Amino acid sequence: MTLEEISAAIIAFVRDNRAWAAPVVGLLAFGESLAFISLVLPFWAMLVTLGTVLQASGLDFTAILIAAAIGAALGDWVSYWIGHRYNTQIAKVWPLSRYPDLLPRGHAFFEKWGVWAIVLGRFSGPLRASVPLVAGIVEMPRLTFQIANWASAFLWAAVLLLFGDVITRAIGWTWKALGWS
């Protein structure tokens, strides 16, 4: 099964089983924010696509937003813990061993931006995987990390899901304007 087929199956499942939308979105956001998984599987595309489904299916946006934010924050929390627990040894583990420049790039980004790296890194695919690890490796204070982590998780979830919703609305408006609906 290809990634596109898996993605289509997940989207169809959520469309057909609305009660499972929030837990599925939470798991996808967790996977997208977890250091190792996010390097291999691009869950963000599924999350944007689910954002397009929100309006059409009448799903509760607030519940989906909260689920996505909680999943994202927990994924970064686990990544921070892994970095704190295993320090620089983590660079030798697959898939990070396949991307040897990822942790140094994340570290440089972290050094430049400090606590803002947590917020900014969440919106950058490659850095999203490494910044929480680096925060743990350099032993960023847990409370400081968690405040930035949770605040940015809610912002990220809103932007990601609203992006899909805005696309859906724009397409609908365009079709109406062109007389195609």
Side-chain angles (χ1 to χ4, degrees):
M1 203 173 207
T2 68
L3 189 57
E4 291 83 20
E5 292 170 333
I6 293 169
S7 180
I10 290 171
I11 302 301
F13 177 81
V14 168
R15 191 176 298 133
D16 296 339
N17 301 281
R18 293 171 34 165
W20 284 94
V24 168
V25 166
L27 285 172
L28 290 172
F30 177 81
E32 179 61 27
S33 297
L34 191 59
F36 301 103
I37 304 296
S38 65
L39 291 172
V40 182
L41 300 171
F43 289 134
W44 66 270
M46 286 184 237
L47 290 166
V48 170
T49 304
L50 284 171
T52 65
V53 173
L54 285 175
Q55 181 187 9
S57 63
L59 292 169
D60 180 16
F61 181 79
T62 303
I64 302 296
L65 171 75
I66 291 169
I70 289 172
L74 291 176
D76 272 7
W77 194 345
V78 170
S79 298
Y80 172 89
W81 178 84
I82 291 170
H84 191 267
R85 171 73 170 87
Y86 295 101
N87 211 294
T88 55
Q89 302 162 11
I90 201 70
K92 298 174 188 165
V93 177
W94 183 89
L96 289 176
S97 61
R98 293 190 64 210
Y99 303 96
D101 67 323
L102 194 59
L103 283 178
R105 283 179 52 210
H107 192 248
F109 187 77
F110 188 81
E111 289 299 319
K112 179 178 181 179
W113 294 98
V115 71
W116 287 103
I118 305 303
V119 177
L120 297 171
R122 188 174 297 280
F123 290 91
S124 169
L127 293 174
R128 184 172 33 255
S130 64
V131 170
L133 278 172
V134 170
I137 291 168
V138 301
E139 298 181 2
M140 178 182 200
R142 286 185 181 117
L143 180 60
T144 304
F145 173 79
Q146 291 302 348
I147 290 169
N149 177 30
W150 286 90
S152 66
F154 276 90
L155 179 62
W156 175 81
V159 168
L160 206 63
L161 294 172
L162 284 171
F163 181 69
D165 188 49
V166 166
I167 289 172
T168 301
R169 290 176 192 264
I171 289 171
W173 179 83
T174 303
W175 285 354
K176 280 184 182 180
L178 295 173
W180 294 349
S181 62

